[in-house]
Amino acid sequence: MSLFDHLQDLWRSLALAPSPPPPRHFFIPDEVARLYRLDGAAGIDDQTWNDLLLESFEEKLAPQASIFARQVLHQRLRAGIDDAACTAQRVRLQALMDDPARLDAIDASLSTLRHADAEIAGMLFQDTAPASPWWSRWLWLLPLALLLSLAALVTLPLGWVLTLAALAPLMALQMRLHRPLEEWRATTRALHALLRTTSLLGGQGGQLLEPFVAARPRAERLHLRLARSLSLRMIPGAIQYADWFAAANVTFYFKTLRIVHAERALLRECYLACANLEADVALVRQLASIGRWCWAERGDARTLVLEEGIHPLMDRPVALSVTLAGKGAFVSGQNASGKSTFLRMVGLNAIAARAFGFCYATRACLPALPVRASMQNEDSLLGGESLYMAELRRARELLDAAGQPPGICLIDEVFRGTNHLESVSAACAVLEELSERDLVLVSSHNLVLAPLLSERLAPFFIDTASGRPVLAPGVLRNPNGIALLATQGFGERIEGRAAEVARRLSRHLAQPDRA
């Protein structure tokens, strides 16, 4: 073996040495969503994302994952995956579940990814070539000028002036490029973590890791090309002197910019392989901790079955079951009975089934459709938008999206920002139109809507009489809004008058005019 080969093996062993435990890096939501935004796929809109608390769910899915896995999980959640990809994902997850020892070994290798403290998907998946200033090709003149000035310092009385003149552009260059150089150091750390992980996984072998085995030699070569000189690293302080007096870091910056752009195909391959594998591992770990889950069947656009479905964000989730065949659902219930939580549970499970192929239930059959929600509309003092105007805007957005493609539409307390008569009238018209194209689930305290929408929405109510909520067919018969007056000390006179008015209005509205 030649001296060069020995040195290369030494450098590889140093470069691929085990790292200390990774810290927990913070990334803003826009960085986590970068891969999804670059992909351009249509997916869950921002209001649905916020209404269904999906950012919190995403955090629970992978609390210790790297930015790479978090970006892939976000992309799957927002855009969903097709049947073929869902089947392949299920095979991968099951293979990891069936081999705990292999799962632990893979997870240990993937921990290297968690050292990355920079988001690099934006750089890897854009085709914009890096711009190098014209003067970057002449950087070699700066250290040469410094050496000549040092020689002049010995031979000329005013040689120090030439030395200062040679040092000035070197110092100015460091100050001008300080921020880009620091950002690029973080970027190269992330790239090294990616390439190091590819090498570690490629050394394990096995069918699940075939992409890493194929990419390993190229990843190791690129890893060496993106590293600083071995001679500089082995001499204490050499890198700092080379940077300040020879602009070595600036030269390295522009050189590695060009290398990374030229090697984007390999880096994308490594990114997707590592990120998808870590995302799969995170999902397996999360399912092992949650207890109740099942593989979801994919049904038609008007069929939805959830048996004992739960919401994974709840500390003590209550299991509810629902079956829809052909119609949507009108859900009523007493105050604080869990109507909003039920809608969120259905929405989150529908999204999980579409993105990951599983649900938090004992059995599930769900359409692989986008989910759209309207649950947390609010008035905006700064935006000059009242609650009702916010509800109208969101209703218009849902109508524009309905049927393009068909989706699951979740609406909580529709049109509560206007008077009762107009609220019922507007809600009836909008929900009728929506339910023609989407599978609609709506909750409301306006019980008169139930008979008006019975042809399109099957009535359900959350029955809490037994102390354990159950979703039962029918419309709520014993609302508790007036009963709660007593708990707040309004007095018998107010309570009695409220009950009397409620009885009169109920008799009047129970039989809507069908003429």
Side-chain angles (χ1 to χ4, degrees), residues 305-361:
V305 178
L306 271 175
E307 294 182 4
E308 297 186 357
I310 62 170
H311 197 299
L313 292 182
M314 297 183 67
D315 292 332
R316 296 179 179 178
V318 175
L320 291 173
S321 301
V322 60
T323 298
L324 301 177
K327 290 185 178 182
F330 178 89
V331 181
S332 55
Q334 294 184 338
N335 291 282
S337 61
K339 298 186 298 299
S340 300
T341 301
F342 168 73
L343 291 183
R344 286 193 174 96
M345 182 272 289
V346 172
L348 190 146
N349 275 288
I351 290 169
R354 184 171 178 245
F356 308 132
F358 60 75
C359 283
Y360 303 95

Side-chain angles (χ1 to χ4, degrees), residues 395-426:
R396 181 69 265 169
E397 292 170 354
L398 295 179
L399 285 168
D400 290 342
Q404 301 178 16
I408 300 173
C409 194
L410 307 171
I411 304 176
D412 188 30
E413 296 301 340
V414 59
F415 294 146
R416 54 194 168 91
T418 188
N419 68 78
H420 182 268
L421 179 61
E422 291 185 317
S423 171
V424 170
S425 303

Side-chain angles (χ1 to χ4, degrees), residues 190-263:
L191 291 171
H192 282 304
L194 185 65
L195 295 167
R196 187 182 300 119
T197 303
T198 302
S199 176
L200 292 172
L201 291 169
Q204 293 186 29
Q207 183 177 0
L208 194 63
L209 301 180
E210 284 181 358
F212 300 94
V213 175
R216 185 187 187 193
R218 293 174 293 147
E220 290 182 351
R221 287 194 294 270
L222 181 56
H223 183 88
L224 296 176
R225 292 176 67 195
L226 294 178
R228 298 296 295 267
S229 167
L230 178 60
S231 59
L232 289 178
R233 292 178 65 88
M234 296 186 69
I235 302 174
I239 289 180
Q240 287 76 15
Y241 283 109
D243 290 347
W244 280 99
F245 300 116
N249 56 343
V250 179
T251 302
F252 180 76
Y253 169 57
F254 289 116
K255 171 189 171 183
T256 50
L257 268 178
R258 292 189 293 270
I259 291 174
V260 167
H261 184 71
E263 296 288 349

